Amino acid sequence: MYTQAMDVPDGSNPAASAPDSGSPQQRAHFDATIAADGRIEPQDWMPEAYRQTLLRQISQHANSEIVGMLPEGNWISRAPSLKRKAILIAKVQDEGGHGLYLYGAAETLGTSRADMIAALHSGRAKYSSIFNYPALSWADVGVIGWLVDGAAIMNQIPLCRCSYGPYARAMIRICKEESFHQRQGFDALLAMMRGTPAQQAMVQDAVNRWWWKCLAMFGPPDADSEHSAQSMRWGIKRIGNDELRQQFIDATVPQAEVLGVTLPDPELKWNAERSHYDHGAIDWEEFRSTLAGYGPCNRERLATRVAAHENGRWVREAALAHARKQQQRNTEDAS
Ligand code: BYC
């Protein structure tokens, strides 16, 4: 079951199993690069804890992208029009691509994609809590685009300035695509809000079910966040969980007004003194329980992911056999 974070090093990878404490010059170079807001690249020396922190966050992020394909993927066959179906297929395909960029970035830290996928499938690695909730209606697909992708963008824009070069570069490309995802979600909801009372009620119901879960996407409050302070010192995270959550709320309230939906928080109101919206309390107990494997869809998501991997085995084997044949032919032609 999905419970624990990635368990590395596992001894199978020499780079992962031989932590290098670095020479004084290497440590000074790392510290100076971070202090000058420069980029650490794969060939640079880095402290083992920095490497592990990146590996944990990037692999979890990659896992979130590919598990995140599932709730929306379920709706491709039921999209209400050809246009919406084409858009949804493109979006789900984008998420798969994001997973690949991110696994690629994580591989530069000395682990393999196969190991990361195995950690996800065995329940040792996490993925975003948000994907353990069901997408019950077509409005949920719009809300995932508007709110889930909206929260993801808010979190991911600062990651474009991450101190680790490959992660920062992957995020620049991902954020461009996520911004299209968010707009298509808003557009789908706007069409429904201009429709029948039943469609409007469907949107409101979806917003009611997803709002609080989206606020938890930013992670625990800073005071309880195990990794934030160190990650910010290293320039991996640039903004804390609470500030990002607040930015998301502040940006979303006016959008909800345009749509004509009510955000399900009676305590949500503008605070002129703070120049931010005040909001009600988040149910962190529910968040912890979902992370511990007891959300409504944890088992289903992991089982679907494992089945997809197994069903694709023959494709991977055929691609490898083809690559081997081509390599052999190239060697024969060259000799
Ligand atoms: N869900 O010390 P903290 C997408 C864990 S998908 C699960 O604050 P950190 C999309 C955290 O990992 C994009 N776990 O940690 C795709 C840590 O546990 P471990 C999703 C969570 O790392 C398809 C513990 O709680 N975006 O856009 O400093 C369709 C303590 O937390 C969550 C990303 O993945 C959570 N919500 O900060 C539509 C962004 N929150 O590792 C859309 C990249 C916390 O010690 N990730 N935890 O076992 C991050 O920015 C950071 O990892 C977090 C957490 C802000 C999530």
Side-chain angles (χ1 to χ4, degrees):
M1 201 181 6
Y2 155 60
T3 51
Q4 293 302 313
M6 192 146 174
D7 185 15
V8 285
D10 66 2
S12 63
N13 184 307
S17 58
D20 174 5
S21 59
S23 66
Q25 289 86 343
Q26 286 173 317
R27 288 199 295 273
H29 180 261
F30 175 84
D31 291 342
T33 306
I34 296 292
D37 200 12
R39 294 290 168 271
I40 304 294
E41 296 297 337
Q43 65 276 15
D44 294 335
W45 179 87
M46 62 188 84
E48 181 58 15
Y50 175 83
R51 196 182 70 80
Q52 292 285 349
T53 297
L54 282 167
L55 196 47
R56 179 185 60 76
Q57 177 167 328
I58 303 173
S59 66
Q60 285 182 20
H61 194 162
N63 295 340
S64 303
E65 297 283 356
I66 61 165
V67 177
M69 297 167 78
L70 303 177
E72 292 175 298
N74 282 341
W75 279 93
I76 290 175
S77 61
R78 291 172 287 171
S81 69
L82 182 60
K83 178 182 141 193
R84 295 287 174 200
K85 190 194 283 266
I87 293 171
L88 187 57
I89 290 172
K91 178 181 191 291
V92 172
Q93 195 171 313
D94 281 355
E95 312 293 2
H98 297 172
L100 295 185
Y101 308 156
L102 289 164
Y103 285 124
E107 280 185 314
T108 65
L109 291 158
T111 191
S112 72
R113 190 164 113 204
D115 283 350
M116 290 182 269
I117 298 274
L120 169 66
H121 290 177
S122 67
R124 279 179 294 131
K126 285 193 171 78
Y127 57 87
S128 181
S129 52
I130 195 74
F131 301 118
N132 291 308
Y133 299 98
L136 300 178
S137 74
W138 174 251
D140 289 46
V141 175
V143 168
I144 291 174
W146 175 42
L147 294 181
V148 175
D149 284 280
I153 296 169
M154 199 53 92
N155 172 277
Q156 291 172 182
I157 294 276
L159 293 174
C160 297
R161 292 185 292 115
C162 171
S163 60
Y164 188 58
Y167 192 24
R169 289 189 288 275
M171 288 320 305
I172 292 170
R173 198 159 161 185
I174 291 174
C175 283
K176 286 186 181 154
E177 291 175 357
E178 295 288 20
S179 116
F180 152 74
H181 294 174
Q182 201 245 358
R183 279 151 198 245
Q184 69 78 34
F186 189 84
D187 178 71
L189 296 178
L190 200 57
M192 291 181 81
M193 290 305 288
R194 288 175 180 158
T196 63
Q199 286 175 307
Q200 291 163 2
M202 206 188 279
V203 174
Q204 185 61 58
D205 172 62
V207 170
N208 292 349
R209 284 181 288 104
W210 288 90
W211 173 248
W212 291 103
K213 324 289 185 220
C214 288
L215 298 189
M217 279 177 75
F218 296 91
D222 292 349
D224 303 330
S225 167
E226 198 183 326
H227 308 290
S228 273
Q230 182 58 62
S231 286
M232 283 169 69
R233 277 195 290 277
W234 275 327
I236 295 174
K237 281 166 83 162
R238 298 287 178 169
I239 304 180
N241 299 354
D242 289 328
E243 190 180 337
L244 283 171
R245 191 172 5 256
Q246 183 71 62
Q247 285 182 10
F248 171 70
I249 294 169
D250 292 348
T252 307
V253 172
Q255 295 171 10
E257 281 162 12
V258 173
L259 269 183
V261 294
T262 307
L263 296 172
D265 179 359
E267 292 174 52
L268 195 64
K269 62 169 182 299
W270 179 251
N271 182 327
E273 239 169 74
R274 295 198 309 123
S275 288
H276 288 297
Y277 281 92
D278 288 337
H279 61 87
I282 296 165
D283 184 351
W284 291 112
E285 201 37 61
E286 200 225 311
F287 171 75
R288 278 189 287 273
S289 159
T290 301
L291 288 201
Y294 303 108
C297 299
N298 294 55
R299 280 168 190 274
E300 181 191 327
R301 294 289 183 244
L302 217 47
T304 309
R305 184 87 262 306
V306 171
H309 192 70
E310 288 310 317
N311 292 339
R313 183 177 295 281
W314 70 271
V315 179
R316 291 190 297 279
E317 286 172 357
L320 276 175
H322 179 68
R324 268 195 295 271
K325 260 192 211 164
Q326 270 204 320
Q327 203 174 18
Q328 201 177 342
R329 249 181 241 143
N330 291 345
T331 322
E332 282 165 10
D333 287 353
S335 61

